[in-house]
Amino acid sequence: MTSQLHTVAETPQFLRDTADAGVSEEERKAIVDSVAADPRQGVEIRGSGGVRKIRVAGRGKGKSGGYRVLLAYVGLRAPVYLLALLSKGDRENFSAAEIAGFKAVTAAIGRYWRERT
């Protein structure tokens, strides 16, 4: 029995971040595939309105030195949204202001999908 994959939407910010970090097409596809298989993975960021953070290994870096990906899961009928990517080599975490912005985006996504269903 195979489990159903969840639809994944890559936001423009996520795509910019992957390009800026030098993430290969193969690495980006692996992130999408991983999230599609388990959209609730990672840990919820406190005060983010449900934004989750996952660790992803980078080329030769492993998970601890790889990338941080933020995602928004708002329900079974909505895609899971890849919001942003941070290369751990550039900086450790997203700022409080960035998290607040992701919270607002996630709230808007949730409202949109609640109105559709």
Side-chain angles (χ1 to χ4, degrees), residues 7-36:
T7 300
V8 176
E10 298 171 276
T11 64
Q13 180 65 53
F14 174 78
L15 293 172
R16 276 191 301 275
D17 291 347
T18 58
D20 291 348
V23 174
S24 71
E25 185 71 21
E26 183 177 292
E27 288 173 312
R28 194 174 59 76
K29 184 179 179 331
I31 292 168
V32 170
D33 290 347
S34 173
V35 171

Side-chain angles (χ1 to χ4, degrees), residues 36-94:
D38 183 8
R40 293 183 181 178
Q41 66 181 291
V43 295
E44 188 173 325
I45 299 171
R46 194 175 332 178
S48 70
V51 175
R52 304 187 75 75
K53 177 173 70 172
I54 62 172
R55 293 178 177 185
V56 179
R59 284 181 299 246
K61 298 179 184 181
K63 282 187 178 183
S64 64
Y67 306 109
R68 302 297 177 262
V69 176
L70 295 190
L71 58 95
Y73 174 82
V74 297
L76 286 173
R77 296 186 180 181
V80 59
Y81 289 81
L82 298 177
L83 301 173
L85 177 135
L86 176 72
S87 176
K88 188 104 187 280
D90 293 336
R91 59 188 180 137
E92 189 73 20
N93 284 307
F94 291 92

